Amino acid sequence: MTTEFLKYTLDIIRQNGTSMSWLEEKRLEFAPLLSSRLKLLIQDSRPFIFICDDERAWYEEYFLSNINSRSHRPFVPFFSLKSLCKNTISTSNDIALLNDLLELSFPNGYVFFYVGLSTNKMAQVAKSKDDSLLVVFDDKNIHNSLYIPLKESNLDSKLISLYKFFDSSLEAILLSKVNI
């Protein structure tokens, strides 16, 4: 990650005022993770497979409805796991079969992007790959994750501001406003 990207993320947060101020304290841990995952998307052409627990199903719909809505930039490959696989995934064998399917479908690789409780069975899918990006609410010690305490006030608003932060970072990279 370049210091240019780190500075850019601070600028995004400060330009958006109070709606993103909570991200400023988490920026030093999240920006390098975000940078490395966006590099997989941009440089390695890996799609993101979006997964949420049941309580955040609204966020999955919000995120996926908005990520390619800007007409002035290229489309990016974001997919819902629910749209790719309708089967219930509950065992380690199911997860292995799912990963086999996705490896056949996306030979360059893919990145799981999970939002929800780390104890949810769908979190186990995301944890099955080392290069996943996770936003979790119940365990701050998970590798490759942004931890937001479940008891935080305005959790839904924070998720929306997280989307805006993600989207602004992605756009800056796609339009060569910042390097990763």
Side-chain angles (χ1 to χ4, degrees):
M1 180 189 65
T2 66
T3 55
E4 179 184 1
F5 183 74
L6 197 56
K7 182 184 177 326
Y8 181 80
T9 59
L10 181 60
D11 292 342
I12 291 171
I13 292 166
R14 291 189 174 163
Q15 287 170 6
N16 283 280
T18 58
S19 71
M20 282 192 198
S21 61
W22 69 276
L23 269 168
E24 189 164 346
E25 66 186 54
K26 298 185 177 287
R27 179 182 66 92
L28 293 177
E29 66 185 80
F30 186 60
L33 178 60
L34 180 60
S35 172
S36 68
R37 296 314 178 263
L38 290 177
K39 190 179 284 188
L40 294 173
L41 175 73
I42 304 299
Q43 294 176 356
D44 296 349
S45 301
R46 293 190 192 179
F48 276 46
I49 310 297
F50 206 89
I51 311 168
C52 285
D53 63 9
D54 291 337
E55 285 87 36
R56 261 62 58 185
W58 70 268
Y59 187 65
E60 180 175 336
E61 186 176 326
Y62 174 83
F63 193 101
L64 293 172
S65 295
N66 287 292
I67 196 69
N68 282 315
S69 65
R70 296 183 185 224
S71 62
H72 65 277
R73 74 175 195 208
F75 288 136
V76 288
F78 278 77
F79 304 98
S80 167
L81 180 61
K82 291 177 191 173
S83 70
L84 296 172
C85 179
K86 301 289 184 195
N87 295 349
T88 302
I89 299 167
S90 56
T91 67
S92 58
N93 190 47
D94 293 341
I95 293 170
L97 290 171
L98 173 66
N99 280 320
D100 287 346
L101 169 72
L102 293 174
E103 287 169 12
L104 289 171
S105 302
F106 304 109
N108 289 341
Y110 53 94
V111 175
F112 285 124
F113 187 165
Y114 175 77
V115 178
L117 296 174
S118 67
T119 55
N120 186 279
K121 65 182 176 184
M122 297 312 290
Q124 303 315 308
V125 173
K127 290 178 192 177
S128 72
K129 294 204 33 93
D130 289 335
D131 55 5
S132 295
L133 175 61
L134 296 95
V135 177
V136 296
F137 308 111
D138 57 341
D139 188 348
K140 60 181 166 186
N141 297 315
I142 295 182
H143 184 63
N144 295 335
S145 72
L146 170 65
Y147 169 67
I148 306 170
L150 189 58
K151 62 183 181 256
E152 289 266 335
S153 61
N154 303 319
L155 185 59
D156 291 350
S157 297
K158 288 180 179 173
L159 286 174
I160 291 172
S161 66
L162 180 64
Y163 166 79
K164 290 176 183 176
F165 178 80
F166 183 95
D167 188 56
S168 296
S169 299
L170 175 61
E171 182 167 320
I173 294 164
L174 285 171
L175 300 179
S176 299
K177 293 179 183 176
V178 67
N179 294 314
I180 50 174

